[in-house]
Coordinates of all heavy atoms in Angstrom, one line a residue:
G1305 N 17.8 -112.8 137.7 CA 19.0 -113.4 138.2 C 19.7 -112.4 139.1 O 19.6 -111.2 139.0
M1306 N 20.4 -113.0 140.1 CA 21.1 -112.1 141.1 C 22.5 -112.8 141.3 O 22.7 -114.0 141.1 CB 20.3 -112.0 142.3 CG 19.0 -111.4 142.2 SD 18.1 -111.1 143.8 CE 19.1 -109.6 144.4
G1307 N 23.4 -112.0 141.8 CA 24.7 -112.4 142.2 C 25.5 -111.5 143.1 O 25.0 -110.4 143.4
W1308 N 26.6 -112.0 143.5 CA 27.6 -111.2 144.3 C 28.9 -111.1 143.6 O 29.4 -112.0 143.0 CB 27.8 -112.0 145.7 CG 26.7 -112.0 146.6 CD1 25.8 -113.0 146.7 CD2 26.3 -110.9 147.5 NE1 24.9 -112.6 147.7 CE2 25.2 -111.4 148.2 CE3 26.9 -109.7 147.8 CZ2 24.5 -110.6 149.2 CZ3 26.3 -109.0 148.8 CH2 25.1 -109.4 149.5
Y1309 N 29.4 -109.8 143.6 CA 30.7 -109.5 143.0 C 31.6 -108.9 144.1 O 31.0 -108.5 145.2 CB 30.5 -108.5 141.9 CG 29.9 -109.0 140.7 CD1 28.5 -109.3 140.6 CD2 30.6 -109.2 139.5 CE1 27.9 -109.8 139.4 CE2 30.0 -109.7 138.3 CZ 28.7 -110.0 138.3 OH 28.1 -110.4 137.1
R1310 N 32.8 -108.9 143.9 CA 33.7 -108.3 144.9 C 34.8 -107.5 144.1 O 35.2 -107.9 143.0 CB 34.3 -109.3 145.9 CG 35.3 -110.3 145.3 CD 35.7 -111.3 146.3 NE 36.6 -112.3 145.9 CZ 37.0 -113.4 146.5 NH1 36.5 -113.6 147.7 NH2 37.9 -114.2 146.0
Q1311 N 35.4 -106.5 144.8 CA 36.5 -105.7 144.2 C 37.4 -105.4 145.3 O 37.1 -104.7 146.3 CB 35.9 -104.4 143.6 CG 37.0 -103.6 142.8 CD 36.4 -102.5 142.0 OE1 35.2 -102.1 142.2 NE2 37.1 -102.1 141.0
A1312 N 38.7 -105.8 145.2 CA 39.7 -105.5 146.1 C 40.5 -104.3 145.6 O 40.4 -104.0 144.4 CB 40.7 -106.7 146.2
P1313 N 41.2 -103.6 146.5 CA 41.9 -102.4 146.0 C 42.9 -102.7 144.9 O 43.7 -103.6 144.9 CB 42.7 -102.0 147.3 CG 41.8 -102.5 148.4 CD 41.3 -103.8 147.9
G1314 N 42.8 -101.9 143.9 CA 43.7 -102.0 142.7 C 43.3 -103.1 141.8 O 44.0 -103.4 140.8
K1315 N 42.2 -103.8 142.0 CA 41.8 -104.9 141.1 C 40.4 -104.6 140.5 O 39.7 -103.8 141.0 CB 41.8 -106.2 141.9 CG 43.2 -106.6 142.4 CD 43.1 -108.0 143.1 CE 44.5 -108.4 143.5 NZ 44.5 -109.8 144.2
Q1316 N 40.1 -105.4 139.5 CA 38.8 -105.3 138.9 C 37.7 -106.0 139.7 O 38.0 -106.8 140.6 CB 38.8 -105.8 137.5 CG 39.1 -107.4 137.4 CD 39.1 -107.9 136.0 OE1 38.8 -107.2 135.0 NE2 39.6 -109.1 135.8
R1317 N 36.4 -105.6 139.4 CA 35.3 -106.2 140.1 C 35.0 -107.6 139.4 O 34.8 -107.7 138.2 CB 34.1 -105.3 140.0 CG 32.9 -105.8 140.7 CD 31.7 -104.8 140.7 NE 32.1 -103.5 141.3 CZ 31.2 -102.5 141.4 NH1 30.0 -102.7 141.1 NH2 31.7 -101.4 142.0
D1318 N 35.0 -108.6 140.2 CA 34.8 -110.0 139.7 C 33.6 -110.7 140.3 O 33.3 -110.4 141.4 CB 36.1 -110.8 140.0 CG 37.3 -110.4 139.3 OD1 37.2 -110.0 138.1 OD2 38.4 -110.5 139.9
L1319 N 33.0 -111.6 139.5 CA 31.9 -112.4 140.0 C 32.4 -113.4 141.1 O 33.4 -114.1 140.9 CB 31.3 -113.1 138.8 CG 30.2 -114.1 139.2 CD1 28.9 -113.3 139.7 CD2 29.8 -115.0 138.0
V1320 N 31.6 -113.4 142.2 CA 31.9 -114.4 143.2 C 30.9 -115.6 143.1 O 31.4 -116.7 143.2 CB 31.8 -113.7 144.6 CG1 32.0 -114.7 145.7 CG2 32.8 -112.6 144.8
A1321 N 29.6 -115.2 143.0 CA 28.6 -116.3 143.0 C 27.4 -115.7 142.3 O 27.1 -114.5 142.4 CB 28.3 -116.8 144.4
A1322 N 26.6 -116.6 141.7 CA 25.4 -116.2 141.0 C 24.3 -117.2 141.2 O 24.6 -118.4 141.3 CB 25.7 -115.9 139.5
I1323 N 23.1 -116.8 141.1 CA 22.0 -117.7 141.1 C 21.0 -117.3 140.0 O 20.6 -116.1 139.9 CB 21.3 -117.7 142.5 CG1 20.2 -118.8 142.6 CG2 20.7 -116.4 142.9 CD1 19.7 -119.1 144.0
T1324 N 20.6 -118.3 139.2 CA 19.8 -118.0 138.0 C 18.3 -118.0 138.4 O 17.9 -118.3 139.5 CB 20.1 -119.0 136.9 OG1 19.6 -120.3 137.4 CG2 21.6 -119.1 136.6
E1325 N 17.5 -117.6 137.4 CA 16.1 -117.6 137.6 C 15.5 -119.0 137.9 O 14.6 -119.1 138.7 CB 15.4 -117.1 136.3 CG 13.9 -117.0 136.4 CD 13.3 -116.4 135.1 OE1 14.0 -116.4 134.0 OE2 12.1 -116.1 135.1
G1326 N 16.2 -120.0 137.4 CA 15.8 -121.4 137.7 C 16.3 -122.0 139.0 O 16.0 -123.1 139.3
G1327 N 17.2 -121.2 139.7 CA 17.7 -121.7 140.9 C 19.1 -122.3 140.8 O 19.7 -122.7 141.8
S1328 N 19.6 -122.4 139.7 CA 21.0 -122.9 139.5 C 22.0 -121.9 140.0 O 21.9 -120.7 139.9 CB 21.3 -123.2 138.0 OG 20.4 -124.2 137.5
T1329 N 23.1 -122.4 140.6 CA 24.2 -121.6 141.2 C 25.5 -121.8 140.5 O 25.7 -122.9 140.0 CB 24.3 -121.9 142.7 OG1 24.6 -123.2 142.9 CG2 23.0 -121.5 143.4
N1330 N 26.3 -120.8 140.5 CA 27.6 -120.8 140.0 C 28.6 -120.1 140.9 O 28.2 -119.0 141.4 CB 27.7 -120.3 138.5 CG 27.0 -121.1 137.5 OD1 27.5 -122.2 137.1 ND2 25.8 -120.7 137.1
Y1331 N 29.8 -120.5 141.0 CA 30.8 -119.9 141.9 C 32.1 -119.8 141.2 O 32.5 -120.5 140.4 CB 31.0 -120.8 143.2 CG 29.7 -121.0 144.0 CD1 28.9 -122.1 143.8 CD2 29.4 -120.1 145.0 CE1 27.7 -122.2 144.5 CE2 28.3 -120.3 145.8 CZ 27.5 -121.4 145.5 OH 26.3 -121.6 146.3
A1332 N 32.8 -118.7 141.7 CA 34.2 -118.6 141.3 C 35.0 -119.7 141.9 O 34.7 -120.2 143.0 CB 34.8 -117.2 141.7

């Protein structure tokens, strides 16, 4: 599985988007 996270100044690192082994995607 792979995904993208982002972190803005002063904030925590959050999930932006992910793609699973089977190809399914999820988005913030």
